[in-house]
Amino acid sequence: MSLPQLYTALLAGGLVLLASIVATRAAARFGLPALLLFLALGLAIGEDGLGLRFDDAQLAQNLGTAALAVILVEGGLTTRWSDVRPLLTPSGLLATVGVAVSVAVTAVGAHLLIGMHWQSALLLGAIVSSTDAAAVFSVLRTLPLPRRVSGMLEAESGFNDAPTVILVLLFSTIPLEIHPLEVAGNVLYQLAVGTVIGVGVGWAGAWVLHRITLPASGLYPLAMFGLGVVAFAAAGSVGASGFLAAFVSGLVLANSGLPHRASLRSFAEGLGWLAQIGLFVLLGLLVTPHELLPELLPALVVGLVLLLVARPVSVLVALAPFRLPWREQLFVSWAGLRGAVPIVLATFPVVAGIPGSDRVLNVVFVLVAVFTLVQGPGLLGLARRLGLVRADAAREIQVEVAPLDVLDAELLTVSVPTGSQLHYVTLRELRLPEPSVITLIIRAGRSFVPEPATRLTTGDELLIMTTARAREVAERRLRAVSRRGRLAHWFGEYGAPD
């Protein structure tokens, strides 16, 4: 590529990005899913629009897989462990048993109602049975839903890509041979090893980042994303689920108490949006609009089977042991959003050369576009009608962990030893230099926030927040009072180091 061509490509890419951002604003104003406008933008600049031709399914698959990895890392980094921890079992069952039930019901419906060959029907069922992380994260996080419901849907969207990819690859072979025990073993291996790698990379990364101070706060989000990509690639290189490893590593990192959570969340959301925009525009370019119209009716039929039969039955079967209220089960059934993941998965059989795979891709594209438009805008109204949210419900506040290096602060720990003149001195009498303050006292295994009149006693552990500039003066004052008591200066004691 020459330099002028590079300038042209960057100009086109920048304009598409800016147009997508404007489309996001318009979508928010009119209550439309922004992801649909990204697809529409791809169609508009494609073969039947501005004439840009793109039909490389292999490249779309590669770029789409990389974008999904970024989206899943972002999902893990912005998910609270406290929300998903009690929901691991139901979410795991939705991602495995629920997917299997949905594949079977959707495939039967596609075979009987629109006459699809069994292999194409199974492929279609597997492709559309995975809820999409990008769609779920971008839509549900704007709603004030109960933690149990939103956490279950987010965890499911992060976990169910692995079994879905396995099934799509299984059905993308010629001749088609299904060995249930082999499939179950493969699913178990991918899930287990992907989880182990994700946890391992996340824990190791958090351990290192806790023990080093990076020179700039912007490096922390980059380091965490880098670790998520490492987890994704490491799992994929050993035949495990890279998608699951990417999500789990991000989840571990984000909930390990690392600093700069606000900047991390902003960076992760920005990079996630960039991946979503690029992915949906690319997928919009991949399809040819005039080939979609004949598949409108089949897509509507399969979509109705999925929405009204397959998804509710899969939720009912997977969540049967937990006795969730019917209102929550109904909402989970309706909120099983599809997005980029099914379209990316639809490229797998195209690349493999499976007969009828082009039709499967077109059906999936129409189904995703139509039913995202049907499901997404009505989620808040449905949640209110089901009594899951109040009309005046508010979003939760975000609490930031501020690292001491950013505040130019020091955290001192002081013990009151036996015989110290600090015993029975009040905090007011310490007269520590401003802005030093004793923030916490640990006494006899119990911690409490002291008041100015609180008296220190032998054995107390003090946590003192001060600035780097005031630290030396604070230390001298503490030593002076410890040696000669509250009247240390009267006795000529100024706390010089020994």
Side-chain angles (χ1 to χ4, degrees), residues 306-331:
L306 176 65
L307 180 63
L308 302 180
V309 183
R311 175 67 178 178
V313 171
S314 67
V315 170
L316 185 64
V317 172
L319 300 183
F322 306 100
R323 298 183 178 179
L324 260 68
W326 68 268
R327 293 179 178 85
E328 294 184 8
Q329 293 196 44
L330 179 59
F331 186 84

Side-chain angles (χ1 to χ4, degrees), residues 158-228:
F159 296 152
N160 65 9
D161 291 330
T164 305
V165 169
I166 295 170
L167 292 177
V168 171
L169 292 175
L170 173 67
F171 299 146
S172 298
T173 57
I174 300 175
L176 177 61
E177 295 181 357
I178 301 176
H179 304 286
L181 291 179
E182 182 179 340
V183 173
N186 191 11
V187 170
L188 182 61
Y189 169 81
Q190 292 216 30
L191 295 180
V193 176
T195 301
V196 170
I197 292 176
V199 171
V201 171
W203 181 86
W207 187 87
V208 172
L209 291 175
H210 270 299
R211 284 159 177 79
I212 63 173
T213 300
L214 298 179
S217 61
L219 294 176
Y220 283 91
L222 283 176
M224 294 185 197
F225 254 100
L227 288 165

Side-chain angles (χ1 to χ4, degrees), residues 79-91 151 155 159 251:
T79 297
R80 290 178 296 190
W81 172 243
S82 59
D83 288 348
V84 301
R85 179 177 56 189
L87 303 170
L88 290 179
T89 302
S91 300
F159 296 152
L251 185 64

Side-chain angles (χ1 to χ4, degrees), residues 35 39 60-61 64-65 67-69 71-72 123 126-137 156-165 168 243 276 279-280 283 337-349 361 364-365 368 372:
L35 307 181
L39 285 175
Q61 177 184 315
T65 301
L68 288 177
I71 292 169
L72 285 166
L123 271 171
I127 288 168
V128 300
S129 292
S130 173
T131 57
D132 181 69
V136 169
F137 295 149
E156 178 200 6
S157 67
F159 296 152
N160 65 9
D161 291 330
T164 305
V165 169
V168 171
F243 292 137
Q276 291 179 47
L279 177 57
F280 277 84
L283 295 176
L337 301 176
R338 274 72 188 172
V341 171
I343 304 176
V344 172
L345 293 179
T347 64
F348 283 56
L361 174 62
V364 169
F365 189 94
V368 167
T372 299

Side-chain angles (χ1 to χ4, degrees), residues 41 67 105 111 355 371 376 389 457:
L41 183 60
V105 174
H111 177 72
F371 284 90
V389 298
T457 62

Side-chain angles (χ1 to χ4, degrees), residues 17 30 35 103 115-116 121 128 140 150 161 165 214 259 276 314 330-331 365 368 404 406 439 464 466 471:
L17 178 61
F30 295 106
L35 307 181
V103 170
M116 266 194 170
V128 300
L140 291 187
S150 60
D161 291 330
V165 169
L214 298 179
Q276 291 179 47
S314 67
L330 179 59
F331 186 84
F365 189 94
V368 167
L404 299 181
V406 170
T439 59
I464 305 173
T466 185
R471 173 181 175 175

